[in-house]
Amino acid sequence: MTDTKTKLLDVAERLTQTKGFNGFSYLDLAEEVGVKTSSIHYHFKTKADLALALVDRVHGAHVAAFGQLDAQVPNAENRLAAIVEVFEGYVNDDKFCLCGMLSAEFQSVSPAVRGRLRTYFQDMRSWVAKQLNEMGFTDSDNRSLSFVSSLEGSLLLARLNGDASLIGSALEQVKQN
Amino acid sequence: MTDTKTKLLDVAERLTQTKGFNGFSYLDLAEEVGVKTSSIHYHFKTKADLALALVDRVHGAHVAAFGQLDAQVPNAENRLAAIVEVFEGYVNDDKFCLCGMLSAEFQSVSPAVRGRLRTYFQDMRSWVAKQLNEMGFTDSDNRSLSFVSSLEGSLLLARLNGDASLIGSALEQVKQN
DNA sequence: GTCTATACAGCGATAGAC
DNA sequence: GTCTATCGCTGTATAGAC
């Protein structure tokens, strides 16, 4: 991965999370990275290809993060808390979740991206369910759905109000008995 | 409100909920309604004005719906269920929540729209809290936050998977205790 | 209130030099 | 791998006739 390609993905990721995938252009991207728009087409032939690359990168990163947490944090509740912290960090950067954003814009993304988004959230729900199971919940599948839903929805509200603490408050409910 | 203006709002509302506010143009709108783009500018001087009109209309409609439910449905749990049904209907139309969508695209909407979105969700949280309170929950404020968060987040996942039942499953958790 | 006509900037995308 | 140059189209928006 060249330096430029990484920078392009970094900026595109941030712009997608803040303004939506349809809320920025190749020119926005080019100016921030310091290249011409034609150079972007070298790395990502079409904007749809860029969307795919964004989802794939974040999916890979999150799967890797899940693996690291499993290996390094010896407590399921703390592992879940680590993910919550990531989302709280989004609020302070005025960001929504990348895959949440593309899911919102669902009808304007390619079939390929749609498939990847389903996989992303399926993996996330599975991992969360595993943690909840370890925590002793017998309804971990359904509780995981509730957890991930609350996470996405509360992030939306938290960013709207500039108050990251809304995420933790919303999730309290889900962790109760 | 002229017939054309209403039709424009109807189509714009649907396109916003399906593709996002940045995912359609005045030309898309014009072709579907059967007018020229210049006519749209007569009703909504700028696209930002259109966004404002969309939020105001849906806010008014939902506040009215809350009032009607309060007056006509003699059971808080059933009143909540009616709102859930509205969101389940979105899934079958491949729609996200209009204000949820604009909240996702938060950084690309005007300050005026941002303020309206905050009011919309504040009103919704208040009304849901009132219902939860009537249902005997003592933590109605926080539970309402969790309810609305789950509603928005599960709608995102439900549409992604074409499965409206995910909404009810996610909310089960919030109604427990 | 809707139209024609038009302005003009922006869009994604491509060809070909370096 | 990045550039210049350019294409054709689409974007929002306006002026003025009807």
Side-chain angles (χ1 to χ4, degrees):
Chain A
M1 180 98 73
T2 66
D3 194 48
T4 297
K5 191 165 187 173
T6 302
K7 281 186 200 165
L8 286 169
L9 285 169
D10 290 344
V11 175
E13 184 174 302
R14 201 193 71 238
L15 290 176
T16 301
Q17 291 186 254
T18 49
K19 311 179 79 176
F21 189 73
N22 293 321
F24 71 95
S25 70
Y26 267 30
L27 186 59
D28 296 327
L29 220 49
E31 284 176 347
E32 252 196 88
V33 173
V35 293
K36 299 295 173 180
T37 60
S38 52
S39 300
I40 305 180
H41 283 283
Y42 171 81
H43 297 286
F44 309 101
K45 199 139 185 47
T46 68
K47 209 185 170 193
D49 292 330
L50 173 60
L52 207 56
L54 283 171
V55 182
D56 280 344
R57 189 174 74 152
V58 81
H59 181 232
H62 283 198
V63 167
F66 293 155
Q68 282 217 338
L69 287 171
D70 284 341
Q72 293 169 5
V73 179
N75 178 296
E77 194 160 357
N78 289 342
R79 291 197 287 273
L80 278 186
I83 296 301
V84 173
E85 270 176 44
V86 171
F87 275 66
E88 286 169 343
Y90 288 160
V91 177
N92 303 318
D93 293 336
D94 282 313
K95 288 175 180 173
F96 189 44
C97 164
L98 181 114
C99 291
M101 183 70 82
L102 289 166
S103 296
E105 297 172 307
F106 193 66
Q107 298 297 322
S108 72
V109 302
S110 72
V113 169
R114 295 180 192 188
R116 302 295 213 286
L117 291 172
R118 289 191 193 98
T119 308
Y120 173 86
F121 281 112
Q122 207 44 64
D123 286 354
M124 189 167 183
R125 283 169 61 185
S126 296
W127 184 81
V128 169
K130 209 175 62 185
Q131 312 311 314
L132 291 169
N133 195 53
E134 271 194 48
M135 288 164 70
F137 292 113
T138 52
D139 59 347
S140 58
D141 271 11
N142 202 62
R143 197 175 284 262
S144 167
L145 168 65
S146 193
F147 187 96
V148 175
S149 295
S150 286
L151 196 56
E152 292 289 330
S154 65
L155 172 56
L156 210 66
L157 296 180
R159 186 172 62 134
L160 189 66
N161 294 290
D163 181 1
S165 75
L166 291 187
I167 296 176
S169 298
L171 287 175
E172 241 177 70
Q173 207 64 51
V174 183
K175 284 186 282 190
Q176 266 172 31
N177 254 328
Chain B
M1 181 97 73
T2 66
D3 195 49
T4 298
K5 191 165 187 173
T6 302
K7 280 187 201 165
L8 285 169
L9 285 170
D10 289 345
V11 176
E13 183 172 303
R14 201 193 72 237
L15 290 175
T16 302
Q17 291 186 255
T18 49
K19 311 179 79 176
F21 189 73
N22 294 321
F24 70 94
S25 70
Y26 267 30
L27 186 59
D28 296 326
L29 220 49
E31 284 176 346
E32 251 195 88
V33 173
V35 293
K36 298 295 173 180
T37 60
S38 51
S39 299
I40 306 179
H41 283 283
Y42 171 80
H43 297 286
F44 309 101
K45 197 136 185 47
T46 69
K47 209 184 170 193
D49 292 330
L50 172 61
L52 207 55
L54 283 172
V55 182
D56 280 344
R57 189 174 74 151
V58 82
H59 181 232
H62 284 199
V63 166
F66 293 156
Q68 281 218 339
L69 287 172
D70 285 341
Q72 293 169 3
V73 180
N75 178 297
E77 195 159 357
N78 289 343
R79 290 196 287 272
L80 277 185
I83 296 300
V84 174
E85 269 176 46
V86 171
F87 275 67
E88 286 170 344
Y90 289 159
V91 176
N92 303 318
D93 293 335
D94 282 313
K95 288 176 180 173
F96 189 43
C97 163
L98 180 114
C99 290
M101 183 70 83
L102 289 167
S103 296
E105 297 172 307
F106 192 67
Q107 298 297 322
S108 72
V109 302
S110 71
V113 169
R114 294 179 192 187
R116 302 294 213 286
L117 291 171
R118 289 191 192 99
T119 306
Y120 172 87
F121 280 112
Q122 208 44 64
D123 286 355
M124 189 167 183
R125 283 169 62 186
S126 296
W127 183 81
V128 169
K130 209 175 61 186
Q131 313 310 315
L132 292 169
N133 195 52
E134 272 194 46
M135 288 164 70
F137 290 113
T138 52
D139 59 346
S140 58
D141 270 11
N142 202 63
R143 196 175 286 262
S144 167
L145 168 66
S146 193
F147 187 97
V148 175
S149 295
S150 285
L151 196 57
E152 292 289 328
S154 66
L155 173 57
L156 210 67
L157 296 180
R159 185 173 62 136
L160 189 67
N161 294 290
D163 181 2
S165 76
L166 291 187
I167 296 176
S169 298
L171 288 176
E172 241 177 70
Q173 207 63 53
V174 183
K175 284 186 282 189
Q176 266 174 32
N177 239 349

